[in-house]
Structure formats: structure tokens, C-alpha cells
Amino acid sequence: MALVRQLYSGTDFRRALSIEELRAVARRRTPHFAFEYVECGSEDEVTLRHNRSVFESIRFIPDTLVDTSNRHQRTTLFGREMSTPLIIAPTALNGMQRYRGDIALARAAAAIGIPFTLSTFSNVRLEDVQTGAGGRLWMQLYLMKDRTIARDIIRRAAGAGYEALVLTSDANVFGFREWDRRNYRQPGDLTLRNILDVACHPRWILDVLFPHGVPRFENVVDFLPPEARSARAGVAYLPGLLAPDITWEDIRWLRTEWSGKLILKGVLNAADAKQAADLGCDGIVLSNHGGRQLDGSVSPMDVLPEIARAAGDRLAIIVDSGFRRGTDVIKAIALGAHAVMVGSATLYGLAAGGEAGVRHALGILSGEVDRVLGQLGCNSLRELGPHLLR
Ligand SMILES: Cc1cc2nc3c(=O)[nH]c(=O)nc-3n(C[C@H](O)[C@H](O)[C@H](O)COP(=O)(O)O)c2cc1C
């Protein structure tokens, strides 16, 4: 009898050996519309696919016969140690994967000693993430037409001891994720087919919807008109609040308002990286928003070497979009990144197993990083470089 290769087909996240397998568990546990929200890219998903295929075009040339028995993957970012070069990326609506998903993600990050970034559009207030999880917290900021919302978030994040403010610059003209949109008759209003699919996920309903109902955009809810405060209405309302007129002037302004670390997320060229450094940013995230914004854009991996050359000595260079393996992380560090943000990988863990599932995801990735370091003949991240790649 010929045996067919197949991923684990159950719902126990602990059985997942890779992020791809964790994704399969997440898919089974989550209603289609909530899984698709994480999964899909914009328009034809060209960038989404390229974010993965770019890693296959980079190969390793390992050193052999090196004693790597004392290898480690610790690193420092902004003068503070991290157990592994990973950061959890800001993602909106984490409460649709698990009840108070933001706290689960932050707790898992704190447990292994890496930063967690909270989205402006989170389902838990930033103060509650601080009290519920602690650890090293970064606050992501979307600038809206009404800048008093940003002022409020900045003041509160400073009060709650957030280490960094991460301004996202690539989503103020909102990407159109057609596969996400197809699950709704109109924004916020699921199709009948999707409503029936939700009914087939009683465990998800019990965890996410009972007894509090659909999670709200807690960080900004006070600024929404009463009719837009529910998550259903908010989904349709919030993109219209984003300011399409953000410019470098806003970086100048934020630099005066925020005394912590300032990070610009959404940079994809060297001129912008230099400008960010000139205006006092402490770091940048090279990102195409996980393929969710401009379809057809380059992967951060395509431009990482030139940006690292241009600004790597003045800025922390963080990279995201498409990272699913330790090999991906190692390739980015070898090309000049200081750390890697993961969005979907830890969300699969969250959907599959809550906080323990996120820890499992981080364990898979850091286990792979450790193995790759050893197989390359390296004892630390410092020894990585382009000489190990082709
Ligand atoms: C479900 C989801 C929601 C996201 N929401 C935000 C957000 O609120 N703010 C933001 O700056 N980026 C957001 N992003 C982009 C991530 O911060 C990150 O750039 C992206 O997930 C990296 O790609 P990856 O998912 O392949 O790891 C979101 C991504 C996903 C998957």
C-alpha cells in the first residue's frame, strides 16, 4: 500500500512540527472568515506568494568541521537582550482568533524575552496588555485624520511604559484584500454561507463570542461615533479614518511627542531609510505588510542588502513579511537585518492553541534557528554574513 504524505490532521497544536502544520491546525479550529482575514493578501496576491518564494532563491554555503556545541541565538536590540532575534508584529483583530488574543501573544513574547507589538486596532486596551502580560511592549500607530487619536495613544503608551512607538506608513491607503471581502455581503456583514460555517465551530464561538460578543477596537473605541463602536461596524468605518496625507512632517512631529524608541514600519528603499535616520528614528521595519497592501511590491528580502548598507549603522533594521522558518530568519540576519518580525506565524499559534500555541510557534522558529546556526558552522548570530549565502 502506498502511503500518502500528509500533515497532521488533528486539532492538537502540540503535534505541529512546523509553522505550516500549525497553520493547518489553526485552519481547522477557526471559521473560514476569521482564518481568511489572517491568510489573504491584496488583489492577485502576487506579493504574498513572492514573500515566500524569495527565500527559496537564496541558498546556504555552510562552513564544515566547526565546533558549534556552545552556539546561542541571543542578541541585543536597543541595548536590551533578546533570547532570539524575533519580535511579534502588530496585527489587528487578534481577538477574532482567541478571546483577549493580544494578551496571549504578549505573554508568550514576555515568556521567552522578546518584544510584542500591539496594533492600534487591537481588541484589548494598551493598558490592559501591560497589566495582563508585562514584558517588552511596543505600540504600533496608525495616523488618522484626527491627530488627537494619536496624541491620546502616545500619551497612554508612554504612561504604560511602552518601549517603542512603531508608525506604520504603508497602509493609510488601505489595501483591497478581495478574498477577505468575499466573505461579506457588505463590510461587517457575513454572507449566509459564512454564518453557517461559524455555526460549525462551536468551540470558537464559546471562546471568542461568549459572553462578551464580537470583540471591539478597544484602543480607539472612545473616538468612534456610537454607531461605529461594534467591531462589525468598526471594520467598515475605520479605514475611512486613516489619513492618506501622512508625510515626513509627521515623523518630525512624532519625534517631538514621543521620547521612547521611534520605529518606522513600511520602508522599502534606501533613500527612505536614510531619511528616517536623519529625522531621528531609532529603527525601521522593512515590510510590505505581509503582502496585504501594494500588490506587486518587492519583498523586503530583495532590498535588505542595499538598505542595510545605506543605514544599518544608524538604525535598527527589522524585517518582516513571509517569515515561516528558521532558515528564513537566518538568511535575513546574514543579509544585514538585526531582527525579524513575525505576524502570521504566531497568529497561527494563537488560533491553534492560545498562549500555549503562540509559545509553540516561537519554539518551532527558535528551534529551527538553533539548528541552522549549527548546520552552518556558526556559534552566534554575529558570525552570519553574506559569505554563507548564494
Ligand atoms: C491579520 C493581520 C493583521 C495585521 N494588522 C496590522 C496592523 O494592525 N498594523 C500593522 O502595522 N500591521 C499589521 N499587519 C502586518 C504585520 O504587522 C506584518 O507586517 C505582517 O504580518 C508580516 O508578514 P507575515 O504575516 O508574513 O509574518 C497585519 C498582518 C496580519 C496578518
Side-chain angles (χ1 to χ4, degrees), residues 308-368:
R309 261 195 312 278
D313 53 346
R314 300 168 70 201
L315 293 168
I317 309 278
I318 301 164
V319 193
D320 78 13
S321 299
F323 287 78
R324 304 285 184 275
R325 284 281 186 191
T327 47
D328 306 338
V329 175
I330 293 286
K331 286 171 185 174
I333 308 272
L335 289 175
H338 299 115
V340 166
M341 268 188 173
V342 284
S344 307
T346 36
L347 282 182
Y348 296 144
L350 179 68
E355 180 188 336
V358 182
R359 287 191 198 211
H360 190 68
L362 292 170
I364 289 173
L365 289 171
S366 58
E368 290 174 350

Side-chain angles (χ1 to χ4, degrees), residues 5-29 35 324-325 345 348-349 352 360-361 364 368:
R5 276 178 157 187
Q6 59 180 34
L7 294 178
Y8 166 66
S9 59
T11 56
D12 179 2
F13 70 86
R14 292 175 199 82
R15 298 275 302 272
L17 300 179
S18 64
I19 298 299
E20 180 59 22
E21 208 162 22
L22 202 52
R23 171 177 171 269
V25 176
R27 175 174 230 154
R28 276 188 289 279
R29 295 185 64 120
F35 185 75
R324 304 285 184 275
R325 284 281 186 191
Y348 296 144
H360 190 68
I364 289 173
E368 290 174 350

Side-chain angles (χ1 to χ4, degrees), residues 76-308:
T76 55
L77 196 61
F78 304 134
R80 294 172 66 180
E81 188 163 292
M82 294 160 56
S83 62
T84 177
L86 299 173
I87 298 155
I88 297 189
T91 50
L93 278 169
N94 294 332
M96 293 304 274
Q97 308 304 321
R98 279 289 166 127
Y99 176 61
R100 288 166 85 78
D102 299 292
I103 292 186
L105 285 156
R107 287 173 64 96
I112 72 156
I114 61 168
F116 165 75
T117 318
L118 185 72
S119 168
T120 296
F121 297 151
S122 64
N123 297 126
V124 179
R125 280 178 73 83
L126 66 92
E127 293 85 353
D128 295 342
V129 174
Q130 200 280 324
T131 49
R136 210 171 155 181
L137 298 173
W138 294 4
M139 185 67 216
Q140 180 263 333
L141 187 67
Y142 277 130
L143 280 178
M144 293 179 238
K145 289 169 189 151
D146 176 0
R147 298 293 200 271
T148 55
I149 303 176
R151 273 205 185 87
D152 177 70
I153 289 178
I154 290 169
R155 181 186 51 75
R156 289 165 46 210
Y162 277 59
E163 176 186 17
L165 189 69
V166 181
L167 176 73
T168 300
S169 62
D170 63 1
N172 276 43
V173 176
F174 224 58
F176 194 36
R177 299 188 299 272
E178 296 167 12
W179 285 111
D180 184 28
R181 177 66 178 77
R182 286 188 181 101
N183 294 321
Y184 301 84
R185 286 189 303 180
Q186 54 194 23
D189 194 0
L190 283 176
T191 61
L192 178 60
R193 197 185 162 102
N194 275 281
I195 292 170
L196 295 175
D197 177 66
V198 170
C200 296
H201 291 82
R203 192 165 35 185
W204 180 89
I205 294 175
L206 276 177
D207 176 56
V208 171
L209 299 184
F210 277 118
H212 306 279
V214 180
R216 304 190 310 167
F217 295 99
E218 295 293 347
N219 262 329
V220 293
V221 78
D222 297 343
F223 292 94
L224 302 178
E227 68 277 11
R229 288 194 178 159
S230 74
R232 282 182 58 193
V235 167
Y237 191 82
L238 283 171
L241 292 187
L242 294 170
D245 61 351
I246 56 169
T247 67
W248 292 102
E249 274 313 306
D250 290 294
I251 292 286
R252 285 198 182 88
W253 172 65
L254 288 175
R255 196 56 294 182
T256 61
E257 295 277 320
W258 174 258
S259 58
K261 301 296 175 196
L262 182 61
I263 300 170
L264 178 60
K265 175 173 182 280
V267 174
L268 283 175
N269 70 57
D272 285 349
K274 282 191 207 160
Q275 176 85 321
D278 290 345
L279 295 184
C281 289
D282 301 285
I284 50 175
V285 186
L286 313 191
S287 175
N288 61 32
H289 216 102
R292 299 164 77 83
Q293 282 296 118
L294 173 62
D295 198 28
S297 68
V298 289
S299 154
M301 293 298 289
D302 294 319
V303 291
L304 170 59
E306 64 210 56
I307 295 180

